[in-house]
Amino acid sequence: MTTTTGRRERKKAQTRRALADAALRLFLEHGYDGVTVAQIAEEADVALATLFKHVPDGKEALIFDDGAERREALVAAVRTRPAGEPVLAALRRFMAGRGAFSTDLSPELRRKRDLVMATPALRGHQRELWLRSESALAEAIAADCGRDAGDAAVRALARYVVEVPELAGTAPDPLAALNAVFDLLESGWQSAPAAS
C-alpha cells in the first residue's frame, strides 16, 4: 500500500525548501552574520511568523535537515555494510563521503560545505545534529557486537565517531585528518614508553 503526501505536508515542505534556499543564497552572498531572519523571510516571501513556525531552532537550522537522514544513514553504514567489513571500516567509508571529507561534491554543495565549515554557528549546529545520532549509532554498534548499548566502550566509540566531523573537518587536509582519527580508533592508542 502506498501513501501519498497530503496537500498540507507538501505545502509545508515547499515553504521549508523556499526558506532553506533563501537562507543559503543570502548566507553565501552576505555571510551568515550579515543576514537576519527578517531578510530570509522576505527573500522567501513568507511572514516572519511563518519562518519561526517552520524553523524554531534559529537561522542556523535553516540550511540543515532535522538530522533524521544523517542518523539513519549512519546506522545503515553499520547495519548494511558488506559481510566481513569491520564496523570502523564501514564508518570511515561513510564519513569519507560526507561534507568536509568528500572530494566529489558539486560546486553548489562545495560552497555550502565551505560556508558551514567557516561559520562557527553553523558548525556548532552541525555538531549538535551529529551528537543527536550518538545513541542510535551506539545501539547499532552494540547490536553488531553483542554488547549492551549502555556499555561504556560502545558509548565512547559512538561518541568518538560522531565527533569526527568537528575534530577533523577544519584540518588543512580534512580527509587525512579523518583517516588519522580512524587509524587511531582501529588500532587503539599506542603510547610511547616513558623515558627512563
Side-chain angles (χ1 to χ4, degrees):
M1 177 181 205
T2 60
T3 59
T4 58
T5 306
R7 182 178 183 275
R8 178 177 286 168
E9 288 78 23
R10 285 193 313 273
K11 182 69 175 159
K12 283 172 60 175
Q14 288 172 342
T15 301
R16 180 74 170 85
R17 180 82 255 146
L19 287 165
D21 290 346
L24 183 57
R25 254 189 328 274
L26 290 171
F27 292 162
L28 289 171
E29 185 176 332
H30 304 287
Y32 175 81
D33 293 326
V35 176
T36 66
V37 290
Q39 290 170 314
I40 295 167
E42 184 178 325
E43 177 80 7
D45 195 27
V46 300
L48 193 55
T50 300
L51 181 146
F52 286 118
K53 184 174 91 177
H54 285 274
V55 190
D57 294 337
K59 70 179 184 176
E60 62 273 4
L62 281 165
I63 64 170
F64 296 100
D65 63 15
D66 65 0
E69 178 274 333
R70 179 185 314 250
R71 185 172 47 256
E72 291 165 9
L74 189 57
V75 168
V78 172
R79 292 189 176 150
T80 63
R81 69 188 193 280
E85 181 179 38
V87 167
L88 283 171
L91 289 168
R92 179 194 300 241
R93 181 173 38 81
F94 168 77
M95 288 285 192
R98 295 192 62 106
F101 312 111
S102 180
T103 57
D104 64 347
L105 294 175
S106 69
E108 179 183 326
L109 287 177
R110 192 174 304 116
R111 284 191 302 275
K112 181 178 177 180
R113 175 202 58 199
D114 294 347
L115 172 72
V116 169
M117 298 313 294
T119 308
L122 295 175
R123 266 200 7 250
H125 189 75
Q126 176 177 255
R127 180 174 183 250
E128 183 182 313
L129 292 174
W130 280 111
L131 289 174
R132 288 181 195 170
S133 301
E134 181 183 334
S135 294
L137 179 59
E139 289 172 17
I141 292 170
D144 183 74
C145 66
R147 294 171 88 162
D148 184 82
D151 180 289
V154 170
R155 287 180 25 239
L157 182 57
R159 169 64 62 94
Y160 296 148
V161 169
V162 299
E163 288 284 10
V164 167
E166 179 63 21
L167 292 170
T170 57
D173 184 344
L175 188 55
L178 173 136
N179 284 323
V181 172
F182 273 97
D183 288 347
L184 173 63
L185 291 175
E186 289 173 354
S187 66
W189 182 258
Q190 303 295 320
S191 62
S196 32

